[in-house]
Each structure stands twice: as structure tokens, then as C-alpha cells.
Amino acid sequence: MDELRVEFLGHEFDNPFIIGSASPTVDGAHMRKIVEKGWGSYIVKTLSLDKNVRPDVRPRLSGMGRYSHLFGLQNCELITTHTLDWWERELRMLRDLDSPMIVSIMATPELEDWATMGRWCEENGADIIELNVSCPHGCPEEHMGSFIGQDPQLVHDVTKAVKDDVSIPVMTKLTPNVTDIVPVGKAAKKGGADALSTINTVGGINGVDIYNRIPAPYVLNKGTISGNSGPAMRTIAYKWVSELAANINLPISGIGGIDSWEAATGMMMLGASTTQVVTAAMVEGFDIVQEWKRRLAEFMREQGYETIEDIVGKALPSLSDYEHLEVEDHLYPEIDDTRCIQCQRCRIACADTGGEAIITPYLNEIDDDKCLGCALCKTVCPVDAISMVVRDGSLRWTRKQGPPTDRKEVDVGLTAEEGK
Ligand SMILES: Cc1cc2nc3c(=O)[nH]c(=O)nc-3n(C[C@H](O)[C@H](O)[C@H](O)COP(=O)(O)O)c2cc1C
């Protein structure tokens, strides 16, 4: 699949799918497996000087949803729990791999520490360094992670400290936990960053054990605000990647909620040249990349894209300020009776929140005069039977000849009777 090859920071990647710095990259054996399974590359779990290394708490993960329906994952995991001597041995076992080695590092604002870590990476075979100035828990309290990433001056200074001391490319990994990411990205660029990556996790609380009165995830009787990842965070990742791409001329590695080849393609269309994946690989395993590569290559052939570079930024021209959105042309729902399962969800949602326009969904009976065009019906449809279409004329009834006979049986937890 040569069309998936991509050049990023002077290195050739077999494909744009990279496993981001996190639990899947905790040691050399895991990273060998990642490459053997076909990922474009990996980013070593964040390393630091031995004085900054601490043990992790157990447990440290808590999910919103489960397995393939997991839409959010919260973790309070720290950076590596191993010393640099240990890592020297682990990285040695990766040197023969035909895949660029990206090493993530972290330090306090002590600039000499950043420079030391940068030199250490270069001496130990790294091809690219990622600067983690973005971890939202455990590290900020020690003046690391997003303590640095939320301050453009510090981001500039640490990026420059590493850049001045190494000859390999440096990518600064930005935090989503800011009001505006662009000034921070510009500061990294001014400090000499060769690329930007974002997002790291979003600080929050994803659940509460209401019987024990403890926020999740918790260790014995205490929880903490910590990092959220997974598909629900993709909205923030897409926003910040597109803002960086539109405002700063640097390559971007897009991270956050990539759980399918389509989500990765969206990330690239918003300006990322490579995409990093963590939560999806943790939940579904490293093998997912094989299907993603096959499907992306098929999509590229169908759509006439010859290279990954042809995809990068393709959706940016259609990203506009609200004031430029069209208000005159109206779209209306059209219900495909061969897909409709008569669950009534669209009718109920429209009756209670929309314009009471849907009369009989499976007959496509819609009163266009009452339709608000909001697309709530399309949003609640569990079988994707509703499209929004342009119509001419203000009032139009569509009554098809009799109910369809080949409707699919899909369990949506609501019978047709209950829905009425
Ligand atoms: C358990 C866990 C540990 C993580 N550890 C690190 C880390 O050591 N360094 C880092 O830069 N990011 C770390 N991250 C953040 C990820 O690299 C990534 O930015 C984030 O999870 C968003 O991507 P995703 O939605 O694909 O998981 C970690 C994420 C998780 C879930």
C-alpha cells in the first residue's frame, strides 16, 4: 500500500497511523509489536530525568461506555516509572526496526534539564523528539506538563532549549486545556519547533460512584481531576488541529479520539499529516490498524487521492465562521422506508422538541411547513434512515404506496408499540 506512505519531519513513514505516547508504548517489547502489526510508528511513553520519576497509582483508568462503545476514557497515569538506564536498554532493542523512533520527554521549567533530556534522546537513537508540555494531572503540580503548556513563554523557552542542543527534529505536544491554542503554537514555532502535535488529554471528571460518593477513577477513597481521551474528545482535537493548521505553517500530528480510519481521515483533512492513536488501540488492540490501512487505501483509490499529502487540509476551505453559513436555503428530512424500523424516535423527538412535522415516519409523511430543518430526527435515528435534502415549494407531503416489506430488525431498546 504505497499510497499510504507519508513523509513527516524528514522521515518516511509506512502509513500515517502512529501509536501515541501512553501505556501501549511502556517498553521496547510493546513498541516492537506495534511496528510488527503494521503501524507507521510509535511514540515512546514520556521519559524524564530519574529525579522526576514516580510510581503510578492503582487503579488509574475509568471508562465512559464500554469496549467498542467506549466514548471516553479517564486516566491518572503518570509518565514512565522507569529510569533512563532502563530505557537505554529498551530503546536499543528498537534500533533495527524500519520505522522512525519518536521519543517523548518531559521536565520542569529548568531549561538545562530539557537540554539534557534532548541530548539523551539523540544519543540513544531517537529520530524525532516530542516535547510533552501537556499532561494535565500529577505533572502540573510538579511544574511539568500543562503547567508549562499553558504558558506560551515557557513553551517557547523549553522548545528552544531542546532545539538549540539537538540536530534531530523536535515536535511540541500542546495541551487542549487552554482558551486559545494558537498563541501557544506560535510560541513553540518561535522556539524552533519543527512540528506541533495535539491534543493531550482533557482535564475533567468522567463519573462519580454515587453510592460511595467518590469521583472516578479513584484509588481507595479519593479521585482526582485527570486526563480524558477517546472519541468524545475528538471534537476538541479537531477544533484545535484545524485552528493550528489554519494559523501556523508547521506540520501537525493530530491526536484525540481517533477510533476509525474515517476519524483519522477527518483529522488529516483538517490539517494533520499523521495521526496518533491511543485509546482505540488500548481498547481494541493493535490489530485494528490492518483494517484501517486497507479501508483508507480503498477510499483513496475511489476518491482519486494519490498520496496522503493530497488529503491533508482538504476540509479546511469549508471551515468557515458562523456568519458565512447559508440561512436562505432550507433542507428537509427524507426518510428511507427500506431502512426505517418504525421505532418512532424521530417522531417523538420532533413532537417534543422540533416542529411536530413528522407524522408517520415509515411512510415519509412529513409536513414541510412545520419542519424546523434542525436535523434532530436524523440525529436520533438509530439506523441512519434519514437524509436532509433540498426541496422546492414550501409545503409538500410525501406518501409512498403502502408500508415497506423489507424493513430490517434492529434492537434499539424501544418497540414500535412503545414508541407510539
Ligand atoms: C493511559 C494513558 C496514558 C497516557 N500517557 C501519556 C504520556 O505518558 N505522555 C503523553 O504525552 N501523553 C500521554 N497520554 C495521552 C495520549 O498520548 C493522547 O494524547 C490522548 O490519549 C488522546 O488520544 P486518544 O483519544 O487516541 O487516546 C496518555 C493517555 C492515556 C489514555
Side-chain angles (χ1 to χ4, degrees), residues 21-23 45-46 61 75 77 132 173 199-201 229-230 255-257 277-279 282:
S21 174
S23 331
K45 174 82 184 160
T46 301
L61 298 176
N75 85 87
E77 181 169 299
N132 178 351
K173 181 171 179 180
I199 59 174
N200 204 315
T201 48
S229 58
I255 323 163
V277 179
V278 171
T279 302
M282 287 173 70

Side-chain angles (χ1 to χ4, degrees), residues 6 10 18 54 56 199 218 236 238 266 307 314 325 339 375 397:
V6 60
I18 298 172
R54 288 175 290 159
D56 265 318
I199 59 174
Y218 56 85
I236 300 169
Y238 274 3
T307 64
K314 276 291 177 298
L325 300 183
R339 296 183 79 112
W397 288 74

Side-chain angles (χ1 to χ4, degrees), residues 329-334 368 387-393 396:
D329 286 342
H330 294 182
L331 295 184
Y332 297 88
E334 184 114 308
D368 285 355
S387 338
M388 298 299 288
V389 299
V390 181
R391 286 184 196 146
D392 47 359
R396 207 198 65 148

